[in-house]
Coordinates of all heavy atoms in Angstrom, one line a residue:
Y4 N 79.9 102.3 79.2 CA 80.7 101.4 80.1 C 80.6 102.1 81.5 O 81.3 101.7 82.4 CB 82.1 101.2 79.7 CG 82.3 100.3 78.5 CD1 82.6 100.9 77.2 CD2 82.0 99.0 78.5 CE1 82.8 100.3 76.0 CE2 82.2 98.3 77.3 CZ 82.5 99.0 76.2 OH 82.6 98.2 75.1
L5 N 79.7 103.0 81.8 CA 79.8 103.8 83.1 C 79.0 102.9 84.0 O 77.9 102.2 83.7 CB 79.1 105.0 82.9 CG 79.9 106.1 82.0 CD1 79.0 107.4 81.7 CD2 81.3 106.4 82.6
F6 N 79.2 103.2 85.3 CA 78.4 102.4 86.3 C 77.1 103.2 86.5 O 77.0 104.3 86.0 CB 79.1 102.6 87.7 CG 80.4 101.9 87.8 CD1 81.5 102.5 88.2 CD2 80.5 100.6 87.5 CE1 82.8 101.8 88.3 CE2 81.6 99.8 87.7 CZ 82.7 100.5 88.0
P7 N 76.1 102.5 87.0 CA 74.8 103.2 87.3 C 74.9 104.4 88.2 O 75.9 104.5 88.9 CB 73.8 102.2 87.9 CG 74.5 100.8 87.6 CD 75.9 101.2 87.3
H8 N 74.0 105.4 88.2 CA 74.2 106.5 89.0 C 74.3 106.3 90.5 O 74.7 107.1 91.4 CB 72.9 107.5 88.8 CG 73.0 108.9 89.6 ND1 74.0 109.8 89.2 CD2 72.2 109.2 90.6 CE1 73.8 110.8 90.2 NE2 72.8 110.5 90.9
I9 N 73.7 105.2 91.0 CA 73.6 105.0 92.5 C 75.1 104.8 93.1 O 75.4 105.0 94.2 CB 72.9 103.7 92.8 CG1 72.7 103.4 94.3 CG2 73.5 102.5 92.3 CD1 72.0 104.5 94.9
F10 N 76.1 104.4 92.1 CA 77.5 104.2 92.5 C 78.1 105.6 92.9 O 79.1 105.7 93.6 CB 78.3 103.6 91.5 CG 78.2 102.2 91.4 CD1 77.0 101.6 90.8 CD2 79.1 101.4 92.1 CE1 77.0 100.1 90.8 CE2 79.0 100.0 92.0 CZ 77.8 99.4 91.4
Q11 N 77.5 106.7 92.4 CA 78.1 108.1 92.6 C 78.2 108.4 94.1 O 79.2 108.7 94.7 CB 77.6 109.1 91.7 CG 78.4 110.4 91.7 CD 77.9 111.2 90.5 OE1 76.7 111.7 90.6 NE2 78.7 111.6 89.7
P12 N 77.0 108.4 94.8 CA 77.0 108.7 96.3 C 77.8 107.7 97.1 O 78.3 108.1 98.0 CB 75.5 108.8 96.7 CG 74.8 108.2 95.4 CD 75.6 108.2 94.3
I13 N 77.7 106.5 96.7 CA 78.5 105.5 97.3 C 80.0 105.8 97.2 O 80.7 105.8 98.2 CB 78.2 104.1 96.8 CG1 76.7 103.7 97.1 CG2 79.2 103.1 97.5 CD1 76.4 102.5 96.4
G14 N 80.4 106.3 96.1 CA 81.8 106.6 95.9 C 82.2 107.9 96.7 O 83.3 107.9 97.3
W15 N 81.2 108.8 96.8 CA 81.6 110.1 97.6 C 81.7 109.7 99.0 O 82.6 110.2 99.8 CB 80.5 111.1 97.4 CG 80.5 112.0 96.2 CD1 79.8 111.9 95.0 CD2 81.6 113.0 95.9 NE1 80.3 112.8 94.2 CE2 81.4 113.6 94.7 CE3 82.7 113.5 96.7 CZ2 82.2 114.5 94.0 CZ3 83.5 114.5 96.2 CH2 83.3 115.0 94.9
I16 N 80.9 108.8 99.5 CA 81.0 108.5 100.9 C 82.4 107.7 101.2 O 83.0 108.2 102.1 CB 79.8 107.6 101.3 CG1 78.5 108.4 101.3 CG2 80.0 106.9 102.7 CD1 77.3 107.5 101.5
M17 N 82.7 106.8 100.3 CA 83.8 106.1 100.5 C 85.1 106.9 100.3 O 86.1 106.9 101.2 CB 84.0 105.1 99.4 CG 83.2 103.7 99.6 SD 83.3 102.7 98.2 CE 84.9 102.2 98.2
F18 N 85.1 107.9 99.4 CA 86.1 108.8 99.1 C 86.5 109.8 100.4 O 87.5 109.9 100.8 CB 86.0 109.5 97.9 CG 87.1 110.5 97.6 CD1 88.3 110.0 97.0 CD2 87.0 111.8 97.7 CE1 89.3 110.9 96.7 CE2 87.9 112.7 97.4 CZ 89.1 112.2 96.9
V19 N 85.3 110.4 100.8 CA 85.4 111.4 102.0 C 85.9 110.8 103.2 O 86.8 111.2 103.8 CB 84.1 112.2 102.1 CG1 84.1 113.0 103.3 CG2 84.0 113.1 100.8
I20 N 85.3 109.5 103.5 CA 85.7 109.0 104.8 C 87.1 108.5 104.7 O 87.9 108.6 105.7 CB 84.8 107.8 105.1 CG1 83.4 108.2 105.4 CG2 85.3 106.7 106.2 CD1 82.3 107.2 105.7
S21 N 87.6 107.9 103.6 CA 89.0 107.4 103.4 C 90.0 108.6 103.4 O 90.9 108.5 104.0 CB 89.1 106.6 102.1 OG 88.3 105.5 102.3
L22 N 89.6 109.6 102.8 CA 90.5 111.0 102.8 C 90.7 111.5 104.1 O 91.8 111.7 104.5 CB 89.8 111.9 101.7 CG 90.8 113.0 101.3 CD1 92.0 112.4 100.7 CD2 90.1 114.0 100.6
I23 N 89.6 111.5 104.9 CA 89.7 112.1 106.2 C 90.6 111.2 107.1 O 91.5 111.6 107.9 CB 88.4 112.2 106.8 CG1 87.5 113.5 106.2 CG2 88.4 112.5 108.3 CD1 86.0 113.6 106.6
A24 N 90.3 109.8 106.9 CA 91.3 108.9 107.8 C 92.6 108.9 107.3 O 93.6 109.0 108.1 CB 90.6 107.4 107.5
G25 N 92.9 109.2 106.0 CA 94.3 109.3 105.4 C 94.9 110.5 105.9 O 96.1 110.6 106.3
V26 N 94.1 111.7 106.1 CA 94.8 113.0 106.6 C 95.1 112.8 108.0 O 96.1 113.2 108.5 CB 93.8 114.2 106.4 CG1 94.1 115.3 107.1 CG2 93.7 114.4 104.9
F27 N 94.2 112.1 109.0 CA 94.5 111.9 110.2 C 95.8 111.0 110.4 O 96.5 111.4 111.4 CB 93.4 111.1 110.9 CG 92.3 112.2 111.4 CD1 90.9 111.7 111.3 CD2 92.4 113.5 111.7 CE1 89.8 112.6 111.8 CE2 91.4 114.3 111.9 CZ 90.1 114.0 112.0
I28 N 95.9 109.9 109.6 CA 97.1 109.1 109.6 C 98.2 109.9 109.3 O 99.3 109.8 109.9 CB 97.0 107.9 108.7 CG1 95.8 107.0 109.4 CG2 98.3 107.2 108.6 CD1 95.4 105.8 108.5
Y29 N 98.2 110.8 108.3 CA 99.3 111.5 107.8 C 99.9 112.4 108.8 O 101.1 112.6 109.1 CB 99.0 112.2 106.6 CG 100.1 113.2 106.1 CD1 101.3 112.8 105.6 CD2 100.1 114.5 106.3 CE1 102.4 113.6 105.2 CE2 101.0 115.4 105.9 CZ 102.2 115.0 105.4 OH 103.1 115.8 105.0
F30 N 99.1 113.2 109.6 CA 99.2 114.2 110.6 C 99.5 113.5 111.9 O 99.6 114.2 112.9 CB 98.3 115.2 110.6 CG 98.3 116.2 109.4 CD1 97.3 116.3 108.5 CD2 99.5 117.0 109.2 CE1 97.4 117.1 107.5 CE2 99.5 117.8 108.2 CZ 98.5 118.0 107.3
G31 N 99.8 112.3 111.9 CA 100.3 111.6 113.1 C 99.3 111.1 114.3 O 99.7 110.7 115.2
M32 N 98.1 111.1 113.8 CA 97.1 110.5 114.8 C 97.4 109.0 114.9 O 97.7 108.3 113.8 CB 95.6 110.6 114.2 CG 95.2 112.1 114.2 SD 95.1 112.9 115.8 CE 93.6 112.2 116.3
P33 N 97.3 108.5 116.0 CA 97.8 107.0 116.1 C 96.8 106.1 115.4 O 95.5 106.3 115.4 CB 97.6 106.8 117.7 CG 96.7 107.9 118.2 CD 96.8 109.0 117.3
V34 N 97.4 105.2 114.7 CA 96.6 104.1 113.9 C 96.3 103.1 115.0 O 96.9 102.9 115.9 CB 97.4 103.6 112.8 CG1 96.6 102.6 112.0 CG2 97.9 104.7 111.9
F35 N 95.0 102.6 114.8 CA 94.5 101.5 115.7 C 95.4 100.3 115.7 O 95.3 99.4 114.8 CB 93.2 101.1 115.3 CG 92.3 102.3 115.3 CD1 91.7 102.7 114.0 CD2 91.8 103.1 116.4 CE1 91.0 103.9 114.0 CE2 91.0 104.2 116.3 CZ 90.5 104.6 115.1

Side-chain angles (χ1 to χ4, degrees):
Y4 295 106
L5 297 174
F6 294 125
H8 179 69
I9 190 66
F10 280 82
Q11 197 170 55
I13 294 169
W15 277 110
I16 292 168
M17 287 175 63
F18 181 78
V19 168
I20 290 172
S21 299
L22 191 64
I23 290 170
V26 168
F27 282 148
I28 291 170
Y29 173 73
F30 285 112
M32 295 293 285
V34 179
F35 307 106

